[in-house]
Amino acid sequence: MKCPAAIADGAGSFTLDEIEVALPLAGEVLVELKAAGICHTDHASLSWQRPLVMGHEGAGVVRAVGVGVTRVQAGDRVVLNWAIPCGGCFQCQRGQAVLCESSRPAHVLQPSAGHAHAAGTQWRGRPVDRSFNLGTLAGLALVRAAAVTPIPPGVPFTSACIVGCGVMTGFGSAVNVARVQPGESVVVIGCGGVGLNVIQGARLAGAGRIIAVDLRAGSLANARRFGATDTLLAEPEDRELQAVALEVKRLTAGRGADYAFEATSVPHLAFTPLLLVRDGGMALQVSGINDPVTVAMPWFMWNKTYVTPLYGGCVPERDFPRIFDHYMRGELWLDELVTRTYPLARLGEAMEDMMAGRNAKGVIVFE
Ligand SMILES: [Zn+2]
Ligand SMILES: [Zn+2]
């Protein structure tokens, strides 16, 4: 079947073109996308040195299922998860589905050590990979069945799709990885799409104090709506957040917070959460910084933990229903995170708005 898609060229840009998608084999699902969120990783994926069907956040309707698929059927509304567990490997067996050792695309039957192209999707007559084995910035996604989870009635596609990455990453980092306990204190640096969901997760975990830090007063006002109890406006020249650290101490009995989360994607802030937590506290870098950065070792003193949580420790069948339940009860906001929607034809503009920080979340809608 043919459908429109955004294809990264591997050298920093993308084109909109038609792709050809096969019907699902055993254990696979064909999803017609209705909405796809975009995040900074999609911008990074433009430069991954090979053509790629873009996108890793999406929601839509199951069009067909392969033999042996029982978790969904044609017509079901589903959200996609970008870490696609196999269920059987060492990490999956330990309940660490995000660290699955044999995640693979549809139409590749044997995990291989080399780079296996998934022949299920073709572009210009050749097999093309799909970003995170999903490729949600396309009319159709051919994926393994473990990549889809049903969406309950009443959740719009535009709100459901962002659960697949940004919401899960923020919420799960607070709830699954840090395991914030009632009454504990939390700092969140950066109040964009991921940071707001750390705040929501911390609030739902019963955190006593949730201190939001950002350079923009508008972002802080928004953070308060999502559950921050205190806000600190950072100054651009306070590069190591020394002034912020003093304020955090003042708000936490002179000790520092129990947890501090970095959600800015700004490389020089990668280790600053260490300065905001108490001795024995936990610093979490959730924005996926890849650039080389240096850190003064005393920042780890004493007994501080530094974690780079992947995908909020996502176990889709456990976490997505939990997030949707919170949403249905009005306890976790999704609609309010979607600042703007765009048709696929205006993906370029959506990417520009994201890079300029104009949206909490931009979402592509498929008509
Ligand atoms: Zn596995
Ligand atoms: Zn993402």
Side-chain angles (χ1 to χ4, degrees):
M1 272 176 277
K2 289 190 193 312
C3 69
I7 298 132
D9 69 358
S13 77
F14 70 92
T15 48
L16 296 173
D17 203 355
E18 209 161 63
I19 56 171
E20 174 85 35
V21 183
L23 284 170
L25 297 178
E28 298 176 358
V29 175
L30 182 69
V31 179
E32 180 186 334
L33 272 306
K34 294 292 184 187
I38 56 168
C39 86
H40 284 257
T41 305
D42 297 311
H43 185 263
S45 79
L46 298 175
S47 309
W48 287 350
Q49 292 165 16
R50 67 187 201 275
L52 202 62
V53 178
M54 294 172 64
H56 62 284
E57 276 186 3
V61 177
V62 173
R63 280 296 159 234
V65 300
V67 175
V69 173
T70 53
R71 57 194 282 148
V72 292
Q73 56 189 22
D76 283 356
R77 304 163 78 247
V78 293
V79 59
L80 292 103
N81 47 282
W82 58 253
I84 308 170
C86 75
C89 73
F90 172 82
Q91 295 288 5
C92 283
Q93 292 285 307
R94 296 176 69 239
Q96 297 290 322
V98 286
L99 302 178
C100 177
E101 294 169 341
S102 60
S103 209
R104 58 187 194 274
H107 272 54
V108 171
L109 302 180
Q110 289 299 320
S112 95
H115 180 66
H117 277 290
T121 302
Q122 309 246 348
W123 176 51
R124 296 180 178 167
R126 290 182 173 187
V128 62
D129 288 340
R130 309 188 71 111
S131 184
F132 291 86
N133 298 326
L134 296 181
T136 54
L137 288 168
L140 295 165
L142 178 67
V143 299
R144 289 175 49 237
V148 300
T149 303
I151 305 168
V155 187
F157 288 115
T158 45
S159 297
C161 71
I162 61 172
V163 171
C165 182
V167 174
M168 183 65 234
T169 297
F171 173 86
S173 293
V175 172
N176 293 338
V177 183
R179 297 177 192 250
V180 174
Q181 298 299 307
E184 290 190 312
S185 55
V186 169
V187 182
V188 181
I189 311 164
C191 300
V194 171
L196 289 173
N197 286 296
V198 175
I199 289 171
Q200 299 206 93
R203 171 170 51 75
L204 287 163
R209 224 181 241 290
I210 303 171
I211 305 164
V213 180
D214 204 288
L215 291 170
R216 292 170 233 236
S219 298
L220 290 175
N222 206 27
R224 232 175 234 284
R225 294 171 56 227
F226 277 78
T229 60
D230 301 87
T231 55
L232 297 175
L233 187 66
E235 301 290 337
E237 52 273 21
D238 183 17
R239 278 174 63 86
E240 293 183 343
L241 300 182
Q242 308 275 5
V244 168
L246 287 176
E247 282 299 301
V248 167
K249 285 216 165 106
R250 193 179 59 76
L251 291 167
T252 53
R255 200 172 283 129
D258 298 308
Y259 310 91
F261 298 78
E262 180 285 325
T264 64
S265 300
V266 176
H268 75 255
L269 295 176
F271 287 105
T272 51
L274 287 166
L275 296 177
L276 308 183
V277 296
R278 60 168 168 79
D279 288 353
M282 184 186 283
L284 300 98
Q285 191 265 103
V286 298
S287 68
I289 290 166
N290 275 316
D291 306 66
V293 282
T294 55
V295 58
M297 289 312 290
W299 288 18
F300 287 91
M301 294 171 190
W302 293 102
N303 293 21
K304 294 178 181 175
T305 313
Y306 185 84
V307 187
T308 53
L310 180 62
Y311 202 6
C314 175
V315 177
E317 67 267 29
R318 176 195 66 193
D319 294 324
F320 290 176
R322 181 161 59 150
I323 288 170
F324 289 131
D325 281 351
H326 283 308
Y327 170 83
M328 300 301 278
R329 288 199 292 266
E331 300 161 351
L332 184 144
W333 291 358
L334 298 176
D335 308 344
E336 293 80 357
L337 288 166
V338 181
T339 317
R340 217 181 136 186
T341 61
Y342 311 77
L344 184 62
R346 290 171 74 179
L347 177 61
E349 189 185 340
M351 299 274 277
E352 274 172 34
D353 287 347
M354 173 180 69
M355 296 314 285
R358 282 190 276 268
N359 295 337
K361 215 52 201 176
V363 169
I364 302 297
V365 289
F366 298 85
E367 46 297 315

